[in-house]
Amino acid sequence: MDLLWLFLMLSALQPVLQRRYLDAMRVRKIAQIEKARGSRVILLVHRQETMSLLGFPLLRYIDVNDSEEVLRAIQLTDEEVPLDIVLHTPGGLVLAATQIARAIQGHKGKVTVFVPHYAMSGGTLIALAADQIVMCRHSVLGPIDPQLDGMPAASIIKVAEEKPIAEVDDRTLVLADVGRKAIAQVEAAAARLLAEKMEAAAARTLAARLATGTWTHDYPIAAEEAREMGLPVTVEMPPEVLELMTLYPQPVRRQGGGVEYLPQPRQREARGG
């Protein structure tokens, strides 16, 4: 009976101990990167969490709590100290992403955004404010076109314009009106962020391309395409940033996951003869 209680106690404590271990490892790795680069490191990492009992996906995204924390971190940083922002996010609220982007743009020191895997939608809006965007060869950015009620604002507008107005319900007309305003606001915000990196006309053209529904909202913009657009992108991802991302595992892993591999680096073996 004593052994059973001991087993139950250890099982209950295991997640807590594992979390504290991960937290300590993250703090240590962040401190190492800050010391090596002489910068302030800020992470904005959103994982998809799964409720262990019901199995429903719980999507995390950029919200006002994130913007408060990032702004506070920037305020605690000297204006001349470089910022290194690690982004791993599907996007989120335009308000929160715009606040973060403007704070980054207003920082005097160099701002580098690292995208190890993806920074979509609001994450891309934040990346546009950086002096340099560092991506892996296969990591991606995405369009910043606004979404209303889970639908692209550009598509709502198109439906409202193409159907006879007598056949369009009031709710769709309201959404179309809000959608026009939302697109104009995001497009203007992006143009302001890009104006310091390219000519004003080019900034407006790129902002419109990203914000007006040119692609589907999940369209992947890889490093090469982002560079062709005129964004300050490199693919020289520091290995320590990728090591840091391994300390942010999926909180609850489903049984029978489809990806398995040995997590050690593999080098080509030298052959004799």
Side-chain angles (χ1 to χ4, degrees):
M1 188 59 118
D2 291 340
L3 289 176
L4 177 61
W5 277 110
L6 180 62
F7 173 77
L8 293 175
M9 290 177 61
L10 290 176
S11 298
L13 287 174
Q14 182 182 4
V16 177
L17 296 175
Q18 185 177 19
R19 178 59 185 266
R20 290 191 176 183
Y21 172 76
L22 276 177
D23 288 343
M25 292 296 292
R26 291 170 185 170
V27 169
R28 181 179 178 184
K29 179 58 71 173
I30 290 171
Q32 288 176 351
I33 296 174
E34 288 188 340
K35 183 177 180 180
R37 294 178 58 85
S39 65
R40 160 79 76 180
V41 174
I42 304 173
L43 288 100
L44 191 57
V45 176
H46 293 133
R47 289 290 195 186
Q48 176 176 303
E49 300 180 5
T50 303
M51 297 172 63
S52 58
L53 293 178
L54 302 180
F56 295 136
L58 179 63
L59 299 179
R60 297 195 58 207
Y61 55 87
I62 302 169
D63 58 20
V64 291
N65 293 321
D66 292 321
S67 62
E68 288 179 12
E69 290 295 332
V70 173
L71 266 58
R72 188 175 296 113
I74 294 175
Q75 290 165 356
L76 292 172
T77 307
D78 188 89
E79 285 285 339
E80 305 297 332
V81 173
L83 295 178
D84 288 334
I85 314 289
V86 181
L87 287 179
H88 179 79
T89 178
L93 298 179
V94 173
L95 167 63
T98 303
Q99 280 187 300
I100 295 172
R102 289 177 177 173
I104 288 173
Q105 187 180 42
H107 189 74
K108 292 182 180 179
K110 181 180 179 181
V111 179
T112 304
V113 161
F114 297 93
V115 184
H117 303 293
Y118 64 90
M120 307 296 285
S121 191
T124 298
L125 188 65
I126 294 171
L128 297 182
D131 299 303
Q132 184 179 43
I133 305 172
V134 181
M135 302 172 66
C136 294
R137 195 161 49 126
H138 300 295
S139 56
V140 296
L141 304 174
I144 58 174
D145 55 307
Q147 308 291 296
L148 301 175
D149 282 0
M151 297 178 289
S155 298
I156 297 173
I157 294 169
K158 185 175 181 181
V159 167
E161 290 177 345
E162 292 188 353
K163 291 183 68 175
I165 192 168
E167 299 180 11
V168 182
D169 62 275
D170 290 347
R171 184 173 181 275
T172 301
L173 291 174
V174 170
L175 287 175
D177 180 59
V178 174
R180 292 185 189 94
K181 296 171 183 176
I183 289 175
Q185 290 167 190
V186 172
E187 186 177 343
R192 284 194 296 269
L193 296 174
L194 292 167
E196 296 182 358
K197 303 169 183 62
M198 57 185 69
E199 295 182 357
R204 289 193 298 270
T205 299
L206 179 54
R209 189 178 179 189
L210 292 170
T212 58
T214 305
W215 308 280
T216 59
H217 194 59
D218 62 349
Y219 176 76
I221 301 174
E224 183 177 353
E225 185 174 2
R227 196 157 40 205
E228 291 172 354
M229 292 178 179
L231 296 178
V233 171
T234 72
V235 290
E236 299 173 359
M237 180 66 67
E240 55 266 26
V241 173
L242 297 178
E243 293 168 4
L244 181 58
M245 285 301 300
T246 64
L247 301 177
Y248 288 84
Q250 196 73 18
V252 178
R253 185 174 181 180
R254 293 178 298 138
Q255 296 295 321
V259 178
E260 293 287 346
Y261 65 96
L262 299 179
Q264 295 83 17
R266 283 286 300 205
Q267 305 292 336
R268 183 177 179 181
E269 296 180 1
R271 297 180 180 273

